[in-house]
Amino acid sequence: MIRWAIIGSGGIAARFASDFQYVQGAQLAGVFSRRPESAQAFAARFQLPHSYASLDELLAADVDAVYIATPHMEHASFAIACLQAGLAVLSEKPAAPNLPQLESVLAVADQHQVLFMEAMKPAFYPLYRQIKALLADGAIGEVNFVDAGFSYLFHDRSHKVFDPTQAGGSLLDVAIYPAFLACDLLGAPSQVKALLDIGASGVDETATLSCRHARGMSSLFSGMRSASDGRALIGGSQGHLLIEGKWWNPSRALLVRESGASESLAAGYLGDGLCHEAQHFTYLLRDKKIRSEIMSFELSRAMIATLDMARADAGLRFPFESDPLAIPSR
């Protein structure tokens, strides 16, 4: 039985805890939050045996894995502390606000040979696994193009997502999702051209990215003040595949071959979908694996590099970044 703890007691932590009923071979042991009263309420709500009074108490507890569900800026520091204590870490996306900070986390995971994985839920949905298998079998020929985005209406201007000191903005909040799709299917970026609409908040509130990857091109967008239907297009040399609805919660898709013949695809998912990544991570720990082949270090690097390169191209950096962002060489 793999014993888990959660760091954070907000909305995503609650969704993760609710989904945990579907995870086999694992149990939730407790929760830690910087606000003890919030952790206590969370533990009571989800009937967890422990509400840890401090991070040190959690690190010394009888747990195997930690799910980090805090604001962006805290992901890397919490991950490093847990990895140094020998605890496996599943970190909410983005695992770090930029590539240098991500490299610091990955270096600690390598040094201590402890399992670390960035949480990117669509990668583990049943339909996405089916799509990956079809693409690998050449269902639409050579995959060479991705058109995807994630845009939503966010009205609370006091939220941290509008705070540049908290790595706010649509890029890190939601563009990490289409960056995942593009990098997973086309490889790491070599060039990113970006148009960013910077609001009065000082963060990017809308972004469009044109990217060149190792195996093709992508057109990505993100936003916090306009809605989209959430479709994603995957183009190939012998057809295309359309993920319908909110592609980051994939349940329906249409595969269209070069001949015009089409095939509808459908697969359900459990709960809110977060249980699938938790199940994968639990199995990795059970099998004493220290790396995921699905959400690899290379894929996490490519995702955040895409967003770094977009900000570098547009001349946007966060207040905590003292030097201009360097465009990673590929």
Side-chain angles (χ1 to χ4, degrees):
M1 186 64 66
I2 302 299
R3 291 170 56 82
W4 285 73
I6 297 176
I7 296 180
S9 55
I12 189 65
R15 289 165 56 195
F16 186 85
S18 295
D19 258 21
F20 216 80
Q21 62 183 301
Y22 303 109
V23 182
Q24 299 178 5
Q27 62 182 198
L28 279 179
V31 60
F32 164 71
S33 171
R34 292 193 185 278
R35 295 178 294 124
E37 65 280 4
S38 178
Q40 291 165 8
F42 189 97
R45 175 183 174 186
F46 294 103
Q47 300 181 329
L48 306 185
H50 298 288
S51 169
Y52 306 109
S54 68
L55 178 61
D56 287 340
E57 183 179 336
L58 184 156
L59 298 179
D62 181 21
V63 297
D64 307 295
V66 173
Y67 172 64
I68 299 176
T70 60
H72 302 339
M73 287 297 294
E74 299 176 352
H75 291 174
S77 59
F78 277 129
I80 288 172
C82 292
L83 291 168
Q84 290 174 334
L87 299 180
V89 172
L90 177 64
S91 174
E92 254 310 317
K93 55 77 191 168
N98 56 36
L99 183 58
Q101 286 197 31
L102 176 65
E103 291 290 8
S104 296
V105 175
L106 302 186
V108 174
D110 276 335
Q111 177 186 356
H112 292 271
Q113 291 292 283
V114 179
L115 175 62
F116 174 84
M117 191 182 87
E118 186 169 9
M120 179 52 65
K121 65 173 185 173
F124 303 95
Y125 275 50
L127 180 60
Y128 190 73
R129 301 317 308 159
Q130 181 183 351
I131 289 171
K132 285 293 295 287
L134 286 169
L135 297 180
D137 287 342
I140 60 171
E142 179 184 350
V143 177
N144 53 33
F145 181 69
V146 168
D147 182 4
F150 191 146
S151 185
Y152 67 111
L153 296 171
F154 202 116
H155 301 292
D156 182 6
R157 308 292 295 189
S158 66
H159 194 273
K160 62 182 178 295
V161 78
F162 289 102
D163 183 355
T165 67
Q166 294 295 311
S170 72
L171 284 173
L172 266 69
D173 194 49
V174 291
I176 191 82
Y177 285 104
F180 152 76
L181 187 66
C183 294
D184 193 37
L185 299 181
L186 302 175
S190 59
Q191 183 182 14
V192 177
K193 302 299 292 182
L195 288 176
L196 306 184
D197 186 4
I198 309 300
S201 59
V203 304
D204 63 283
E205 299 186 9
T206 305
T208 61
L209 280 58
S210 296
C211 312
R212 187 185 305 276
H213 299 262
R215 297 185 296 276
M217 305 277 283
S218 71
S219 177
L220 314 177
F221 68 88
S222 62
M224 304 187 298
R225 60 187 188 198
S226 61
S228 67
D229 65 2
R231 296 185 179 189
L233 174 70
I234 302 169
S237 60
Q238 297 175 22
H240 69 273
L241 190 148
L242 182 69
I243 306 178
E244 301 172 349
K246 296 179 179 179
W247 72 262
W248 52 92
N249 292 322
S251 61
R252 304 185 318 278
L254 181 68
L255 190 157
V256 182
R257 302 181 190 276
E258 188 176 13
S259 65
S262 63
E263 176 184 351
S264 295
L265 308 173
Y269 54 90
L270 298 174
D272 202 27
L274 296 171
C275 55
H276 298 293
E277 63 187 6
Q279 187 67 76
H280 172 75
F281 198 86
T282 294
Y283 285 155
L284 290 175
L285 267 177
R286 180 199 65 185
D287 297 338
K288 303 186 185 306
K289 300 292 181 62
I290 61 170
R291 300 291 176 265
S292 169
E293 295 181 357
I294 295 176
M295 271 304 300
S296 65
F297 284 12
E298 291 71 22
L299 182 51
S300 286
R301 287 185 176 107
M303 287 157 46
I304 198 63
T306 301
L307 307 188
D308 277 5
M309 293 166 74
R311 291 195 296 120
D313 184 67
L316 175 67
R317 66 176 187 263
F318 297 123
F320 55 84
E321 295 171 322
S322 57
D323 300 318
L325 281 170
I327 297 179
S329 59
R330 293 287 173 183

